[in-house]
Amino acid sequence: MAINAGVPQGSVLSATLFLLHINDLLKPGIFGYADDSTVTERYMPGPRASGAEILGHREALVERINLTLNEVSDWGDANLVKFNATKTQACLFTTKRSPFPLTPTFRGISLPITDSLELLGVNISSNLNFGQYIESRAKTAGKKLGILNKVKRYFTPEQLLTLYQAQVRSCMEYCSHLWDGSAKYQLDALDSVDRRARRLIGDLANKKLKSLEHRRKVACLSVFYRIYFGECAQELFDLVPPSPFYHRTARHRKDLHPYVVDIPRTRTKRFASSFLIRTARIWNALPASIFPSSYNISTFKSRVNRHLLGKRAPP
C-alpha cells in the first residue's frame, strides 16, 4: 500500500516535522500538544441571567464550537490528517446545575457532554473538583509503594529514596499546581502515602525529602513566574496582568516588590482556590529579594524554596 503522508517512526526529525505540519491548525481557541488537540469556547452569562438568556448563550456556544470543529475537519481533509471523531470528548465546565441538552458535532458524529475530561493525563471534572483525580493518584502511588516495600531488602536507603522520588512521588506531584487548592481531606490521601514511604526509607527520607505541600507551593510559584514573564501561551500570559502603578510613598505599599499583580474579587470559594488566585496572593507577599535582576527560573525557584523553608537567601 502506498503511503502518501507521514514521517518515519523513531526518527529524530519526526516530532519536529509533525509540529511544523500542524502549525497552521493551531490558532486562538485551538491548542495542541504533540498529537493531542483541544478546542475551547466559553460564555459569560452574568450572575443574574435568566434561563432563556443562559440557553441562548449555550446555543451560541455550541454553534461556535461546531464552526471551529468544521474548520479542523476541513484542515484535516486538506492536509491528509484523519481525526477519529469517536475518540473525541466534550465537557462543559460550569457550576450551574441546569441540564445541558445541546451537543456539538464533529465529522457528522454527535459528541455527548461528559462529566469529566482527561487531558494530558489529568482527569478534570466538569465542576473543577479534583477529588477523584487525587484519590486515583493516591491509589496508584500506594500500589507502587507496596511493590517497593516488598523488594526493599534488595536496596540501600539511598536507592529506596531514589526509586520513591522517581516512581512514586512523581505521580503524586504531576500538575500539582492545578489541584493544590483542593480540600485538605483530599490532599491527606497523598500525605498518607508519603508518611508510609518515610517509614520505609528511614531517617534519610526525613533529611532529604521536603513535604508534598512545600513542593506544591514551589511548583505553583515557579509556574506563575513563567506565566508572568511570558514563557507560556499568549492566552495564559493575558490572564496575569501587571498591577497598575503603585505609589511607593504609600506606607502600605513601600514593601511591595515591582512584580505585584492585581487580584480580582472572588465571589466563590472555588474561584478563590483556583491556581491563579491563590498563587497570586502568595506571589504578592514575596519579598523583593526573591526576584532575580533578570529572568532566571532556576534562581527564582531556589530562592523561593529557601524562603518557604524559612532560610535566608545567600548574599
Side-chain angles (χ1 to χ4, degrees):
M1 182 178 66
I3 299 177
N4 299 318
V7 292
Q9 186 173 1
S11 168
V12 294
L13 288 176
S14 295
T16 301
L17 292 173
F18 178 78
L19 292 176
L20 290 172
H21 183 62
I22 68 169
N23 185 63
D24 59 334
L25 169 66
L26 307 179
K27 57 184 68 176
I30 304 177
F31 303 92
Y33 184 84
D35 61 346
D36 193 349
S37 301
T38 303
V39 174
T40 63
E41 279 288 352
R42 67 174 182 171
Y43 71 95
M44 301 291 288
R48 299 182 179 179
S50 65
E53 290 174 328
I54 292 175
L55 179 60
H57 282 295
R58 289 180 169 181
E59 290 175 344
L61 171 75
V62 172
E63 184 177 350
R64 293 196 301 272
I65 291 178
N66 285 338
L67 288 174
T68 304
L69 290 176
N70 285 336
E71 292 179 5
V72 172
S73 179
D74 293 342
W75 180 93
D77 293 338
N79 291 273
L80 303 179
V81 175
K82 292 184 178 180
F83 294 99
N84 192 339
T86 60
K87 292 185 177 180
T88 303
Q89 306 174 75
C91 185
L92 176 70
F93 299 102
T94 180
T95 58
K96 296 187 180 299
R97 300 181 179 180
S98 55
F100 193 89
L102 309 171
T103 56
T105 303
F106 183 44
R107 298 185 70 84
I109 295 179
S110 180
L111 307 177
I113 305 298
T114 60
D115 294 331
S116 62
L117 179 71
E118 186 171 345
L119 192 61
L120 301 179
V122 179
N123 189 276
I124 308 175
S125 64
S126 58
N127 61 359
L128 299 181
N129 186 315
F130 289 95
Q132 291 185 350
Y133 173 76
I134 295 173
E135 183 180 354
S136 68
R137 293 293 86 197
K139 288 182 178 179
T140 300
K143 292 178 181 178
K144 290 184 176 183
L145 186 63
I147 296 174
L148 193 59
N149 183 52
K150 292 180 179 180
V151 298
K152 64 180 180 180
R153 64 181 180 274
Y154 301 112
F155 300 99
T156 65
E158 290 80 6
Q159 292 170 333
L160 287 173
L161 177 62
T162 300
L163 287 170
Y164 171 63
Q165 290 177 304
Q167 298 296 327
V168 183
R169 260 213 173 189
S170 58
C171 76
M172 295 194 294
E173 294 183 338
Y174 178 62
C175 287
S176 61
H177 58 281
L178 290 179
W179 43 264
D180 181 44
S182 301
K184 185 179 182 302
Y185 75 90
Q186 295 173 338
L187 298 173
D188 281 344
L190 301 176
D191 291 330
S192 176
V193 176
D194 190 59
R195 288 192 295 269
R196 287 168 50 198
R198 290 172 184 269
R199 290 194 297 268
L200 171 66
I201 299 169
D203 294 337
L204 183 64
N206 295 324
K207 294 178 181 178
K208 297 286 187 179
L209 290 176
K210 305 297 188 298
S211 70
L212 290 173
E213 181 182 7
H214 172 85
R215 296 266 298 172
R216 290 194 296 268
K217 292 295 184 292
V218 173
C220 288
L221 288 168
S222 298
V223 173
F224 198 93
Y225 182 81
R226 293 176 62 91
I227 294 174
Y228 182 91
F229 286 97
E231 295 294 319
C232 61
Q234 184 64 38
E235 290 82 359
L236 277 177
F237 179 69
D238 293 339
L239 292 176
V240 187
S243 178
F245 178 75
Y246 275 71
H247 298 285
R248 298 300 177 183
T249 55
R251 289 183 178 180
H252 65 287
R253 293 173 178 169
K254 65 179 181 179
D255 296 327
L256 295 177
H257 57 74
Y259 308 105
V260 170
V261 298
D262 271 343
I263 301 177
R265 295 179 60 184
T266 57
R267 292 181 297 141
T268 63
K269 185 177 181 180
R270 180 180 286 105
F271 185 36
S273 63
S274 63
F275 163 68
L276 289 177
I277 301 300
R278 57 183 160 77
T279 308
R281 292 196 173 100
I282 305 174
W283 170 273
N284 285 350
L286 292 175
S289 59
I290 296 293
F291 298 89
S293 56
S294 59
Y295 179 83
N296 190 318
I297 183 64
S298 298
T299 301
F300 175 80
K301 188 173 182 179
S302 175
R303 292 179 180 179
V304 162
N305 182 64
R306 295 182 65 87
H307 173 71
L308 295 180
L309 290 173
K311 299 180 180 180
R312 295 182 60 183

